[in-house]
Amino acid sequence: MNFASLPDHRAESDPDGPAVSDGRQSLTNAQLLTRVRAAARHLQDLGIGPADVVALKLRNRVEFVVLLFAAWRLGTTVTPVNPSLTDGEVARQLQDSGARLLVVEKSTTAAGVATLAVDALYAEGAEADPAPQPDSSSLALLIYTSGTTGMPKGVMLGHSNIESMAGTGCRGLELGPADRCLLILPLFHVNAIVVSVLMPLLAGGSVAITDRFDPKTFFDLVEQERPTYFSAVPTIYSMLAALPADVLPDTSSLRYGCCGAAPASAELLARFESRYGFPLIEGYGLSEGTCFSTVNPVAGPRRAGSVGIAVPGQDIRIVDERGTELAPGMDGEVVVRGPNVMRGYLGRPEETAKTIVDGWLHTGDIGHLDADGYLFLAGRSKDMIIRGGENIYPKEIEDVLVTDPSVLDAAVIGVPDDKWGEVVVAYVQPRPGATVDPAALEALTARHLSGYKRPTSFIVVDALPKNAVGKIDKPSLRAARTAVPLGS
């Protein structure tokens, strides 16, 4: 199913069925199609057509979804823009993507690019409907990476990429017409677009959009919207697991929560499921792979510490520095192959060639496969710490630290050292109302880790820095490595 035609298909098969809502408005399938047609006409009136790029700098709202389908109806590419970016950062993305139109919350100007205030978007009255332009070879999305390792790059995802990912993702997560997703991640991220919008709509289900995540009101929304699943990052699950004990929500509608974007500790997954009564299905993937490449089985065995098995239609290998495939149990770089793999980075053929080699996407992540094909991650290759010639993967240490009842979250980095080259430093965030004892953490790591892996310092912070997607921002921690430790 090409997504340019999906609104038409849903309106024809179930016109009065629920499609998408955001707390301000709720659209049936027929109403969604009407809005998509009107928005497509508006884009056409502004001179937008096939192969053009439209940028959406919007918060989570129904209009984002409407514009997504309207653009695809015209054969137009969408590049989502993080609303929290500075004007300079927005300008760089607009220039790099070649966007011809920027849709924003309120009227504004952007150098060299026409703008459209979203509330002015046509909502009805399209006299001549622009017919869908289904073309699997055309570009659907330009997703810009977070830029934590350099300037953001435009990940080119074609319609064939998102069609494959959504189709196999629906099978992997066992989605059907009865499913309803509560969307809480920001829509400028591919996970939110694919897992929380495209997949449930493709499966015949519906989407309830939240403006932003708030742990204090999250379960109120669950009780109100009655979703069957949602997708979030480990930080969100940590915050929910840390809610006061008297928070006892009705979670009976939820089949599971999806967990991705960063590895979660087995302790967090078990603690969360025990408290709230529904499982967390952990998966793994990159924007360059259109979202996720592995997932733990919904109905089958989920292995503690694993991010699951390969999604149908994708292949996973572990390779060494020379690209040689490694045996089960051996750590190396995770590489991925399948129709989900991006076309490349926009305007960056050299970086594309380094990242996609003989059809395999080199992720930069380190891990191993067990004998049954379950993937276990050790960390990012760029996060790897080398102390006296020994390779240390921060996730192993972070997983130990979060078992302490006072620790909500942890981040481990390497800092330069004259003797060892690098030494291990741990940043820890306390649970609400708790006090972290660095001496207790030192004893904990001494029980579970070899001497060379143990942190030399434990730095307690009120909150660990996060990037826009909710991942811990380790580059900013490295920049702050001169902070005074609270124990050693």
Side-chain angles (χ1 to χ4, degrees):
M1 168 63 67
N2 188 285
F3 283 104
S5 303
L6 183 61
D8 303 74
H9 173 76
R10 287 178 61 98
E12 181 179 355
S13 61
D14 184 16
D16 297 323
V20 58
S21 63
D22 65 5
R24 297 162 44 254
Q25 54 188 316
S26 180
L27 303 182
T28 65
N29 290 320
Q31 290 168 334
L32 174 61
L33 178 58
T34 296
R35 294 282 296 276
V36 168
R37 285 172 167 168
R41 171 57 62 193
H42 199 156
L43 294 179
Q44 277 193 325
D45 288 350
L46 293 173
I48 302 300
D52 285 333
V53 177
V54 170
L56 306 182
K57 185 187 174 187
L58 299 173
R59 59 182 176 83
N60 284 8
R61 55 190 296 166
V62 160
E63 288 81 3
F64 190 108
V65 177
V66 168
L67 283 160
L68 200 64
F69 287 112
W72 291 343
R73 196 174 188 84
L74 302 176
T76 301
T77 303
V78 171
T79 185
V81 179
N82 180 351
S84 67
L85 293 183
T86 66
D87 290 345
E89 290 168 329
V90 172
R92 280 197 296 271
Q93 181 171 339
L94 296 178
Q95 181 177 15
D96 189 75
S97 66
R100 292 195 56 210
L101 177 69
L102 172 65
V103 185
V104 293
E105 294 289 340
K106 296 180 180 179
S107 295
T108 186
T109 58
V113 179
T115 60
L116 170 65
V118 69
D119 289 338
L121 187 68
Y122 297 171
E124 55 186 16
E127 296 179 1
D129 173 35
Q133 302 292 321
D135 181 2
S136 294
S137 67
S138 64
L139 195 60
L141 292 169
L142 267 175
I143 301 292
Y144 278 77
T145 60
S146 60
T148 56
T149 58
M151 293 296 291
K153 301 184 288 289
V155 175
M156 297 188 292
L157 300 178
H159 278 278
S160 59
N161 292 134
I162 64 173
E163 290 163 18
S164 172
M165 182 73 263
T168 58
C170 283
R171 293 197 291 275
L173 291 176
E174 300 184 9
L175 297 181
D179 279 300
R180 180 170 176 78
C181 180
L182 182 63
L183 187 156
I184 60 176
L185 294 177
L187 273 168
F188 60 80
H189 191 261
V190 71
N191 183 297
I193 293 174
V194 173
V195 177
S196 297
V197 175
L198 301 186
M199 283 170 46
L201 293 182
L202 180 64
S206 61
V207 182
I209 299 174
T210 61
D211 184 12
R212 60 174 58 88
F213 171 75
D214 183 344
K216 296 178 181 178
T217 60
F218 173 76
F219 283 117
D220 293 334
L221 285 170
V222 168
E223 294 177 350
Q224 173 186 323
E225 298 291 346
R226 306 298 293 165
T228 60
Y229 80 101
F230 64 97
S231 182
V233 298
T235 299
I236 286 177
Y237 289 115
S238 293
M239 296 168 70
L240 294 175
L243 289 174
D246 60 356
V247 175
L248 302 171
D250 175 6
T251 62
S252 59
S253 69
L254 286 166
R255 297 171 53 211
Y256 52 77
C258 300
C259 184
S265 69
E267 186 274 339
L268 170 61
L269 299 176
R271 176 160 48 91
F272 189 97
E273 182 171 351
S274 175
R275 174 169 181 180
Y276 292 116
F278 62 91
L280 300 186
I281 306 297
E282 195 172 15
Y284 160 78
L286 288 77
S287 297
E288 289 87 341
T290 317
C291 195
F292 64 103
S293 294
T294 69
V295 67
N296 269 285
V298 172
R302 303 189 307 275
R303 298 195 176 174
S306 169
V307 291
I309 57 178
V311 172
Q314 298 188 41
D315 297 315
I316 306 290
R317 283 182 179 176
I318 306 297
V319 300
D320 63 15
E321 296 86 350
R322 297 179 298 277
T324 303
E325 186 173 6
L326 298 175
M330 297 182 65
D331 277 333
E333 185 182 11
V334 181
V335 296
V336 176
R337 182 176 65 181
N340 57 298
V341 172
M342 68 171 180
R343 298 183 178 181
Y345 296 116
L346 179 67
R348 300 180 187 230
E350 292 184 359
E351 291 191 53
T352 298
K354 292 177 182 178
T355 304
I356 303 176
V357 181
D358 295 329
W360 289 91
L361 172 65
H362 285 247
T363 68
D365 289 316
I366 304 298
H368 68 266
L369 295 169
D370 70 10
D372 296 317
Y374 282 76
L375 176 63
F376 293 78
L377 296 176
R380 291 286 296 168
S381 59
K382 290 182 173 60
D383 289 339
M384 185 177 71
I385 302 165
I386 303 177
R387 179 190 182 276
E390 297 281 0
N391 293 347
I392 302 170
Y393 298 110
K395 184 177 183 295
E396 179 184 7
I397 306 167
E398 292 160 356
D399 284 350
V400 170
L401 292 172
V402 296
T403 64
D404 185 284
S406 69
V407 174
L408 176 66
D409 211 345
V412 169
I413 64 171
V415 301
D417 181 80
D418 290 339
K419 179 178 180 181
W420 297 106
E422 285 185 299
V423 293
V424 178
V425 171
Y427 286 77
V428 292
Q429 177 180 339
R431 296 193 188 196
T435 300
V436 172
D437 179 5
L441 297 184
E442 185 174 14
L444 176 67
T445 54
R447 291 194 301 271
H448 294 280
L449 299 170
S450 300
Y452 72 93
K453 298 179 182 178
R454 299 172 196 165
T456 59
S457 301
F458 298 92
I459 301 174
V460 182
V461 293
D462 292 335
L464 291 168
K466 306 291 196 309
N467 65 18
V469 184
K471 296 181 183 180
I472 293 175
D473 185 3
K474 288 190 175 181
S476 70
L477 290 178
R478 295 186 186 100
R481 65 181 178 265
T482 56
V484 178
L486 299 182
S488 61

